[in-house]
Amino acid sequence: MRTTPRALAAAAAAFALLLTGCGDSGDDDGKITLQFQSLAWQKESVDANKALVKEWNATHPDVKVNYVQGSWDSVHDQLLTSFEGGEAPDIIHDASDDLADFAYGGYLADIGDLLPERLKSDIPQRSWETATFGGKVYGVPFLQEPRVLIANAKWLKKSGVRIPTPEKPWSWAEFRSVTKELGDGKDGKYGVAWPLKEPVSATLNLSLSTGGKMFHRGADGKVDVRFDAADAIMPRTVHDQVNIDKSASGATLGMGGSDTLPGFFGGKYAMVPLGFSYRQQIVQQAPKGFEWQVLPAPAGSEGLAQGVSPQTLSVSEDSPHKKEAAEFIDFFLQPDNMVKLARGDWMLPTGAEALKDPALRTEKDDWAAGTALATDLRPAPAQSVRGYPEWKDKVATPALQEYYSGAIGLGELRKRLVEDGNLVLARYQR
Amino acid sequence: MMRTKKSTRAAQYLALAAYLVFLAFPFLWLISTAFKPARELGSLHPTWIPKDPTLDNFRQAFDEQPLLRAAGNSLIAALSAALIAVVIATPMAYVMARHRNRVSKAATGWVVISQAFPFVLIIIPLFLILKNLHLINSLLGLIMVYVVWSLPFALWMLVGYVRAVPTELEEAAAVDGAGRVRTFVSVVAPLLAPGIVATAMFAFITAWNEFFFALVLLKTPEKQTLPVILNRFIGSEGVADLGPLAAAAFLATIPSLVIFAIIQKRITGGMLAGAVKA
């Protein structure tokens, strides 16, 4: 292999030529151009997003929207870099639990006054709370999903247990006894499989049904962690199902939702608590003839209440066209469009008008069973708690994983969540 | 004595076979998954050979994402980064290996330390610099980042290879009247060829697989690279469109495999040279 300076120079020149034209190209036609970064990823959802952008561009010649595809993985770091570099998209798709840092950091615009009354009144106040920080609105919550029990319908029917409905759900105690009846693991079959790879959000969100709050904000605005009797009901149920009744498989505690589906399809588990959107995977992957149904999660003193972190649309503080961006959001979230987006993502819309759409009330794929739960959805308890991510990663996740697997008891769990947890939160609230 | 040797060799082969199986397992499973229909992906008893093989995952992957264009972008970025990195690193490595003074020691120290910087620490200043150079959303900007990112390790690798070249050869060239540049180009560089190829391969693979810089720096689909596009098959909370993802990931491995297959002899030679003499 002989390499000469001339050859190197030629190679460098060739690459310089090759790369010419790789640079950014500007849009100088005088129109307003908005960048819309969407995190839609499933085909139907991407198609719906693109179709709406196309429709907007066809009807709004002076304000062009560029669809930019983002991805859920690393979206926080990617947006943070874009914000810091002054290159953030004008319209940003994200999840409400990711907004607090950006809102407090001054990266997002307060769009409360830019949104029309139609949109404001269409989305319930409890949903607006997920994207409101310090009285300012930093995003429009538009899609959300409850956690539901997806059950093997034949198994349930054969067992003769009472089938819960949103009007008459199972209590947590009844849920425990039903799962015991459905399977205790002796023949490799379990009443339930809890996929708890990410145990914190599942625990906090489902504990709202029993009145569990865990985070308590004082008059001075500071938040402290408590673990009262109401907070313990849901975790104790799971712990007892796994470790005492053996009605829940211990093997699934470290799994994600998708990982439990083969076992569910294979008849190992009678039920799996999953997000509502998992129905799409079930429709695609379930063996022919497999019958499944959506059941409401167990209820407590607060009924079927549970926490959610809706998907949101925000406007960048640096955008020079906030008004136009808000107008696009208004168009994008018209009731008919919200229905299209919800169907594309297999989730529920936040808008009251969209929720009335017959397409979301159909029995097919159990849409109706999920839509019936919409009024019970509340902001996830930790939405606006500063220091929550660290509390979650360093304290709560390992503590709950150990508790659910039986390695520690309730006393030790409480000690860690509260004592260690408050030390973490205190650092953020000085 | 003979029996001991035979049993030792058998154990070695067994260990090697086990290691090869371990290495091959994810790739073979990826291929198997890429050809399985959705219902087989959800089976409790998965099989190696798809019962009902399908090309639907490939069709869907191509239908949903611009895989070929992304592969082209990745290829341009990775090949350019690899070439530029070795062009810069080779003479630098020569200087660092042959002139061991305070400056080269400090440079070596800096090279080692620079490998410890996490992406997130450098991405914001890097983003601002590239923005000022109008190189955001530009493959040229991305290539510059990849070159800078792979250069320290490339340099470190090549220093070892340069040290393995006997200085007597250079002295002989000098006696014959060759200058420093001529000696480097005509005597040292050809002997470094295996090391240069191995280093280029390292730089290529690093750039080919890189995700985060590409995600942050490239905005429009026309510019995005394969890892960024592959990531679009993954949704919130890690839920993945497994079939098309496996099909696209399988296709993404092919260029690296082809390049490895073509130059594996040189790589092997280069690695051995570095390992023995560095």
Side-chain angles (χ1 to χ4, degrees), chain B:
Chain B
M1 190 69 179
M2 196 67 181
R3 283 175 67 182
T4 312
K5 274 189 178 173
K6 272 187 181 173
S7 62
T8 305
R9 182 155 300 178
Q12 285 170 339
Y13 276 114
L14 196 66
L16 181 64
Y19 184 57
L20 289 178
V21 169
F22 176 72
L23 282 182
F25 176 82
F27 184 62
L28 295 176
W29 194 250
L30 179 75
I31 297 172
S32 169
T33 305
F35 288 97
K36 279 180 182 169
R39 294 199 193 284
E40 278 191 54
L41 293 174
S43 170
L44 183 59
H45 304 292
T47 54
W48 275 101
I49 310 291
K51 288 177 196 159
D52 192 10
T54 176
L55 291 173
D56 283 353
N57 294 325
F58 291 90
R59 281 192 206 104
Q60 196 182 331
F62 276 107
D63 189 36
E64 288 178 20
Q65 300 298 344
L67 292 177
L68 284 180
R69 189 173 56 202
N73 290 338
S74 280
L75 212 54
I76 291 173
L79 282 174
S80 307
L83 186 81
I84 297 168
V86 293
V87 166
I88 297 173
T90 307
M92 283 172 74
Y94 179 72
V95 172
M96 284 171 71
R98 289 291 186 249
H99 303 280
R100 304 181 80 168
N101 52 32
R102 277 187 194 168
V103 177
S104 69
K105 278 181 187 167
T108 308
W110 177 245
V111 164
V112 174
I113 291 168
S114 70
Q115 293 297 294
F117 293 155
F119 279 22
V120 287
L121 193 72
I122 62 163
I123 188 67
I124 289 174
L126 196 65
F127 190 92
L128 292 171
I129 292 167
L130 290 173
K131 188 189 166 198
N132 288 333
L133 294 170
H134 302 288
L135 288 173
I136 296 294
N137 200 30
S138 149
L139 277 184
L140 184 57
L142 187 70
I143 290 164
M144 286 169 65
V145 173
Y146 287 168
V147 169
V148 173
W149 193 251
S150 59
L151 204 51
F153 197 78
L155 198 56
W156 204 16
M157 277 176 82
L158 279 169
V159 166
Y161 291 116
V162 174
R163 286 187 186 146
V165 176
T167 51
E168 290 80 1
L169 292 174
E170 294 175 52
E171 288 162 8
V175 169
D176 289 342
R180 274 195 183 282
V181 174
R182 180 69 189 271
T183 304
F184 174 73
V185 172
S186 302
V187 178
V188 181
L191 292 169
L192 284 180
I196 290 173
V197 172
T199 307
M201 201 63 222
F202 156 77
F204 176 85
I205 295 294
T206 304
W208 180 261
N209 291 332
E210 200 284 323
F211 165 70
F212 188 61
F213 286 132
L215 174 75
V216 170
L217 298 176
L218 302 174
K219 306 282 181 191
T220 55
E222 294 76 27
K223 303 282 170 60
Q224 285 170 334
T225 56
L226 211 44
V228 177
I229 297 293
L230 287 181
N231 213 252
R232 292 197 195 151
F233 292 105
I234 300 172
S236 56
E237 295 182 17
V239 178
D241 205 353
L242 206 54
L245 175 63
F250 169 55
L251 294 172
T253 59
I254 291 175
S256 315
L257 289 178
V258 169
I259 293 175
F260 259 114
I262 293 170
I263 59 174
Q264 66 157 317
K265 272 189 185 173
R266 281 197 184 279
I267 293 174
T268 315
M271 283 176 172
L272 289 175
V276 173
K277 294 172 185 172

Side-chain angles (χ1 to χ4, degrees), chain A residues 11 42 52 125 328 360 385 418 423:
Chain A
Q42 297 175 96
L52 291 177
Q125 183 54 33
F328 173 74
L360 303 180
V385 177
V418 176
L423 287 174

Side-chain angles (χ1 to χ4, degrees), chain A residues 34-54:
Chain A
L34 301 174
Q35 302 293 328
F36 166 38
Q37 179 170 296
S38 166
L39 301 179
W41 68 284
Q42 297 175 96
K43 188 179 181 331
E44 299 97 318
S45 177
V46 173
D47 288 349
N49 272 261
K50 285 184 175 172
L52 291 177
V53 169
K54 198 175 169 187

Side-chain angles (χ1 to χ4, degrees), chain A residues 20-292:
Chain A
T20 307
C22 289
D24 202 0
S25 63
D27 186 352
D28 298 323
D29 57 4
K31 286 182 192 171
I32 291 173
T33 302
L34 301 174
Q35 302 293 328
F36 166 38
Q37 179 170 296
S38 166
L39 301 179
W41 68 284
Q42 297 175 96
K43 188 179 181 331
E44 299 97 318
S45 177
V46 173
D47 288 349
N49 272 261
K50 285 184 175 172
L52 291 177
V53 169
K54 198 175 169 187
E55 190 183 332
W56 167 273
N57 286 337
T59 50
H60 297 77
D62 297 331
V63 182
K64 185 185 168 198
V65 171
N66 277 345
Y67 179 88
V68 180
Q69 181 96 49
S71 57
W72 285 102
D73 197 20
S74 304
V75 67
H76 186 88
D77 291 337
Q78 185 248 333
L79 281 175
L80 184 62
T81 310
S82 303
F83 284 132
E84 285 287 341
E87 289 277 332
D90 300 274
I91 303 153
I92 295 158
H93 180 189
D94 203 349
S96 64
D97 56 356
D98 199 33
L99 292 188
D101 278 353
F102 295 143
Y104 288 122
Y107 300 120
L108 298 178
D110 173 11
I111 49 175
D113 293 334
L114 297 176
L115 298 170
E117 193 50 39
R118 176 205 72 77
L119 188 58
K120 283 184 185 171
S121 57
D122 188 41
I123 295 173
Q125 183 54 33
R126 59 179 182 275
S127 292
W128 283 114
E129 283 167 18
T130 62
T132 303
F133 305 97
K136 295 178 178 173
V137 178
Y138 291 102
V140 184
F142 71 108
L143 288 179
Q144 57 189 348
E145 64 172 332
R147 203 174 290 263
V148 293
L149 297 171
I150 299 188
N152 181 323
K154 272 188 192 167
W155 189 339
L156 234 61
K157 204 173 170 184
K158 198 175 160 192
S159 72
V161 299
R162 182 179 76 80
I163 308 292
T165 62
E167 295 74 33
K168 212 176 168 198
W170 286 328
S171 66
W172 283 96
E174 192 180 2
F175 173 58
R176 186 181 162 191
S177 72
V178 165
T179 54
K180 222 165 146 180
E181 204 173 317
L182 290 169
D184 57 7
K186 280 181 186 157
D187 52 357
K189 292 176 185 286
Y190 298 88
V192 66
W194 283 96
L196 287 175
K197 191 177 168 187
E198 305 279 349
V200 182
S201 65
T203 305
L204 286 177
N205 290 339
L206 287 175
S207 287
L208 282 189
S209 68
T210 59
K213 276 185 177 174
M214 204 108 60
F215 295 98
H216 298 261
R217 196 175 290 275
D220 58 357
K222 289 187 177 176
V223 174
D224 69 317
V225 186
R226 292 179 219 158
F227 191 76
D228 302 326
D231 297 298
I233 294 172
M234 180 268 170
R236 202 173 51 215
T237 305
V238 178
H239 172 274
D240 292 351
Q241 285 173 322
V242 174
N243 297 287
I244 298 174
D245 308 339
K246 312 288 183 193
S247 60
S249 165
T252 66
L253 291 176
M255 290 183 182
S258 303
D259 305 326
T260 58
L261 290 181
F264 179 58
F265 298 146
K268 277 185 80 174
Y269 322 122
M271 288 181 284
V272 191
L274 292 170
F276 192 50
S277 64
Y278 275 86
R279 291 170 304 132
Q280 188 195 24
Q281 281 194 52
I282 292 171
V283 168
Q284 285 178 345
Q285 296 181 4
K288 280 177 189 164
F290 183 83
E291 290 177 26
W292 56 277

